[in-house]
């Protein structure tokens, strides 16, 4: 996997070529994806905004994730990642989104959702796609792996047009 700055440059090039924008919806990364994107000069040409929705209330208030969905499935789940990705696009002026919700650790894990568990959501013009991953390492390693995978997934969806 290329380094994060290289992933961002590739993403920027692809989005600018299309004249399209991206939005992020982040929980476990606390804005690191948006930070990686805006580290690149000129990112306002393709990066619309980032939502840091660390609390469940923020997910509901800013992204429209139904509180009942969080109550039934938990914040770290496929339905919530899907709703976060869709809500980000619905509440921004963007064509694409990436959403992440997970357990970065070292606390907060459970047998069903151990530390390193992350759900990803990508909203694209063709629909919303989700993926589950589990990353090893400490909190910083899990968060950095999440950023890299989120950006890689976004590039993959851009390349495939879905």
């Amino acid at each position: 996997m290329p380094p994060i700055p290289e992933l961002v440059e590739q993403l920027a090039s692809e989005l600018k070529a299309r004249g399209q924008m991206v939005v992020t919806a982040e929980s476990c990364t606390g804005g690191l994806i948006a930070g990686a994107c805006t580290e690149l000069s000129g990112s306002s040409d393709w990066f619309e905004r980032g939502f840091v929705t660390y609390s469940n209330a923020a997910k509901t208030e800013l992204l429209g994730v139904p509180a009942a969905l969080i109550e039934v499935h938990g914040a770290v789940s496929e339905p919530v990642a899907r709703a976060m990705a869709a809500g980000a696009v619905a509440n921004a002026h963007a064509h694409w989104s990436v959403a992440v919700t997970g357990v970065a650790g070292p606390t907060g894990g459970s047998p069903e959702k151990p530390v390193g568990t992350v759900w990803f959501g990508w909203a694209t013009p063709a629909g919303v796609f989700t993926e589950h991953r589990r990353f090893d390492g400490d909190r910083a390693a899990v968060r950095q792996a999440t950023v890299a995978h989120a950006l890689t997934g976004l590039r993959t969806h851009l390349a495939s047009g879905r």
Side-chain angles (χ1 to χ4, degrees):
M1 182 177 305
I4 289 172
E6 188 177 318
L7 286 170
V8 170
E9 287 181 17
Q10 294 165 352
L11 182 62
S13 177
E14 292 165 14
L15 285 164
K16 286 194 303 188
R18 294 168 183 249
Q20 295 180 329
M21 304 290 277
V22 68
V23 57
T24 61
E26 303 179 62
S27 187
C28 62
T29 50
L32 292 175
I33 301 168
C37 290
T38 58
E39 186 71 24
L40 182 64
S41 180
S43 57
S44 60
D45 291 340
W46 56 273
F47 183 82
E48 207 274 332
R49 72 180 73 176
F51 294 98
V52 177
T53 55
Y54 209 73
S55 72
N56 292 342
K59 289 173 184 64
T60 298
E61 293 166 13
L62 298 175
L63 300 173
V65 177
L69 196 69
I70 297 170
E71 188 174 319
V72 170
H73 299 281
V76 180
S77 65
E78 189 276 341
V80 170
R82 177 178 295 281
M84 287 174 67
V89 167
N91 289 287
H93 304 285
H95 307 85
W96 304 82
S97 76
V98 59
V100 296
T101 182
V103 184
T107 61
S110 69
E112 300 82 29
K113 298 174 186 177
V115 169
T117 299
V118 181
W119 274 98
F120 296 83
W122 294 275
T124 77
V128 179
F129 302 89
T130 59
E131 184 180 353
H132 168 261
R133 295 294 302 264
R134 177 138 186 276
F135 301 112
D136 292 323
D138 64 9
R139 183 177 182 82
V142 169
R143 287 164 46 113
Q144 284 303 303
T146 300
V147 172
H149 189 74
L151 294 170
T152 299
L154 188 54
R155 286 202 58 243
T156 300
H157 286 288
L158 272 162
S160 71
R162 62 170 216 116

